[in-house]
Structures are given as structure tokens and as C-alpha cells.
Amino acid sequence: MKDENCIFCKLANGEIPTATLYEDEDFRVILDANPASKGHALILPKEHYANLYELDDELASKSLVLAKKMITKLTPILGCDGYNIVQNNGEAAGQTVFHFHMHLIPRSKGDSVGLGWKMSALKDEDKEDILSKI
């Protein structure tokens, strides 16, 4: 199923020209138009899923295998030192386009890519609360 109003559906299905790095029956991998670093790519399923919660298990598995394949191929091409694989779900988590996608962000030592969060210690009460409910 596709969403005719979704920009990522249009990109994934070739309705809008992209810099395509890879394509198969389920996914298109493109260079991000607003990259965090040189070579920043997006994995886009061709079918519409708003987020990971909606993605079926088979496609979720395939997306991670594809991420591994892409970063393995791109690392020597870009000469980067590592990769962030980022996938956001929901506005509070930073999702701005509500079509499941994965960011493949090349990283180099000392770069200025601003990914991160403030670290804190796991509180005993939080740990116990979560473990008691899982």
C-alpha cells in the first residue's frame, strides 16, 4: 500500500528523481537531500508504513540486513571511520517524515555531526519498575 500524499512513497517508487544507491523489490536506498555528512543515505521501503511499529517483521529484518550491506559497501568508498544507523519513531523521537526510514550516516573521527543525548545513570526505581512490567 502506498500513500499518494507521502513524499517518501514518491521517492521510494521513483516518482521523484533521486540519487539512488540501491534498489530491489522492497526498498530503495537514496542519498539524503539534506545530509548530516557526505554520503548520508536513507533506506526507504516502497510500501507505506508510518514507523517501525507498523512495519512487518520480515521487512524490519530485511531493512537491517540491507543497512549492513550498504554500510559495508560505502565505508571504503567514503573513507569514513564508522556509521550511525538511526531510525526515529514518532515526533517526540525526532521523526519528521511519517514513512518508516533508516538513516545511514557516515562518521569520521572529529566530525561535527550532532547526534547524541545527555547520559545519566540508571535509577534503581526505574530499573525495578520496568523489569516488573516486562
Side-chain angles (χ1 to χ4, degrees):
M1 179 173 193
K2 294 170 185 65
D3 179 340
E4 64 184 43
N5 297 314
C6 175
I7 186 84
F8 278 11
C9 281
K10 292 175 183 178
L11 291 166
N13 289 286
E15 296 172 37
I16 297 173
T18 63
T20 299
L21 300 173
Y22 173 86
E23 181 178 11
D24 64 24
E25 63 278 357
D26 297 314
F27 298 96
R28 183 180 297 251
V29 182
I30 66 172
L31 290 175
D32 194 308
N34 298 293
S37 63
K38 179 182 177 182
H40 178 169
L42 300 174
I43 295 177
L44 306 171
K46 292 183 175 180
E47 297 294 323
H48 185 81
Y49 303 91
N51 51 45
L52 183 60
Y53 301 113
E54 292 184 5
L55 195 64
D56 67 61
D57 290 349
E58 183 180 351
L59 276 179
S61 297
K62 285 181 176 181
S63 68
L64 190 57
V65 170
L66 180 54
K68 178 183 176 188
K69 177 180 180 174
M70 294 305 302
I71 68 169
T72 299
K73 183 167 185 130
L74 289 168
T75 295
I77 291 170
L78 297 168
C80 58
D81 299 312
Y83 259 90
N84 286 117
I85 299 173
V86 179
Q87 201 284 305
N88 302 318
N89 294 282
E91 187 176 351
Q95 186 177 12
T96 58
V97 178
F98 296 91
H99 178 112
F100 172 86
H101 57 286
M102 294 175 71
H103 293 264
L104 307 177
I105 304 172
R107 299 299 303 269
S108 296
K109 291 177 184 163
D111 68 23
S112 61
V113 175
L115 298 176
W117 50 86
K118 182 182 174 197
M119 304 289 259
S120 62
L122 176 60
K123 298 176 187 170
D124 285 339
E125 58 268 20
D126 291 343
K127 176 178 69 174
E128 293 306 320
D129 179 51
I130 293 166
L131 291 175
S132 71
K133 295 175 182 174
I134 194 91

